[in-house]
């Protein structure tokens, strides 16, 4: 309040207009619900864009991923924590330390030009640029590729 002139991160988060694809809770500054930040796909995609091709634990053939930088999401909501608990529609969860931002992981919405569907690990899939960093070519990171992501809890 009254802090005009600061970055866009101080603008209130818009209320979701479409179906909510991602709910962020925990140590965050910006909320638009009951202490949580709710995103529809359009608002989420509006936060930024990133893309790269990489192989993965699930594909030996490189796939082209497009989505939103995880960093852009965390900056927009005023992230205050040290790690993220990323959980999925199927109740799978993984802890992602904030240091992983150095790899610029994305919340992928598309693979090979197609929107990710729930049946195809979507609508959101945490994807790391695995081929670009030897250290990422390891089960320690593969389990952080949470597919069918729908919640992030900031701790
Ligand atoms: N939603 C969800 N994401 C997940 C998993 C899962 O069971 N559910 N398994 C993780 C693990 S352990 C790995 S190695 C990769 C690939 O797992 P998959 O071969 O079961 O797709 O996805 C990760 N993301
Ligand atoms: Mo795994």
């Amino acid at each position: 309040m009254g802090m005009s002139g600061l970055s866009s991160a101080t603008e209130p988060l818009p209320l979701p207009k479409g179906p909510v694809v991602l709910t962020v809770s925990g140590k965050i500054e910006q909320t638009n619900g009951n202490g949580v930040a709710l995103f529809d796909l359009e608002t989420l995609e509006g936060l930024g864009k990133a893309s790269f091709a990489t192989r993965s634990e699930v594909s030996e053939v490189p796939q082209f991923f497009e989505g939103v930088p995880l960093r852009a999401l965390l900056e927009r909501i005023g992230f205050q924590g040290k790690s993220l608990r990323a959980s999925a529609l199927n109740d799978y969860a993984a802890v992602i330390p904030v240091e992983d931002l150095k790899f610029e992981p994305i919340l992928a919405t598309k693979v090979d030009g197609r929107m990710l569907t729930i049946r195809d690990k979507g609508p959101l899939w945490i994807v790391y640029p695995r081929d670009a960093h030897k250290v990422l070519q390891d089960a320690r990171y593969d389990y952080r590729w949470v597919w069918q992501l729908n919640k992030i809890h900031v701790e």
Side-chain angles (χ1 to χ4, degrees):
M1 313 262 159
M3 303 190 87
S4 57
L6 292 186
S7 79
S8 63
T10 60
E11 294 289 319
L13 272 185
L15 289 172
K17 295 193 202 84
V20 171
V21 292
L22 182 66
T23 301
V24 189
S25 59
K27 295 183 177 174
I28 59 176
E29 282 175 346
Q30 298 284 313
T31 60
N32 60 3
N34 260 332
V36 301
L38 305 168
F39 289 90
D40 60 22
L41 197 57
E42 197 186 332
T43 305
L44 190 67
E45 288 184 316
L47 298 180
K49 281 185 170 32
S51 59
F52 50 80
T54 188
R55 285 166 291 190
S56 68
E57 218 275 327
V58 299
S59 175
E60 286 174 11
V61 179
Q63 291 177 299
F64 182 64
F65 294 97
E66 294 168 78
V68 179
L70 180 58
R71 182 189 295 280
L73 170 72
L74 297 180
E75 284 174 356
R76 184 63 182 84
I77 59 177
F79 171 87
Q80 298 283 304
K82 295 210 160 25
S83 66
L84 309 174
R85 188 170 186 279
S87 46
L89 292 170
N90 68 346
D91 285 334
Y92 178 85
V95 173
I96 296 181
V98 71
E99 297 85 76
D100 280 13
L101 289 183
K102 67 175 179 275
F103 300 117
E104 304 293 345
I106 66 172
L107 307 176
T109 55
K110 286 188 184 177
V111 61
D112 294 334
R114 290 174 280 117
M115 291 301 296
L116 286 167
T117 60
I118 289 179
R119 153 191 291 221
D120 193 18
K121 302 197 186 289
L124 298 174
W125 185 3
I126 296 178
V127 173
Y128 287 74
R130 194 179 191 274
D131 285 354
H133 302 277
K134 191 102 223 252
V135 68
L136 295 179
Q137 295 158 28
D138 188 275
R140 219 167 102 238
Y141 288 96
D142 290 334
Y143 86 91
R144 299 177 190 171
W145 287 50
V146 178
W147 37 266
Q148 293 182 342
L149 173 77
N150 71 336
K151 287 186 188 136
I152 293 177
H153 186 71
V154 177
E155 299 167 321

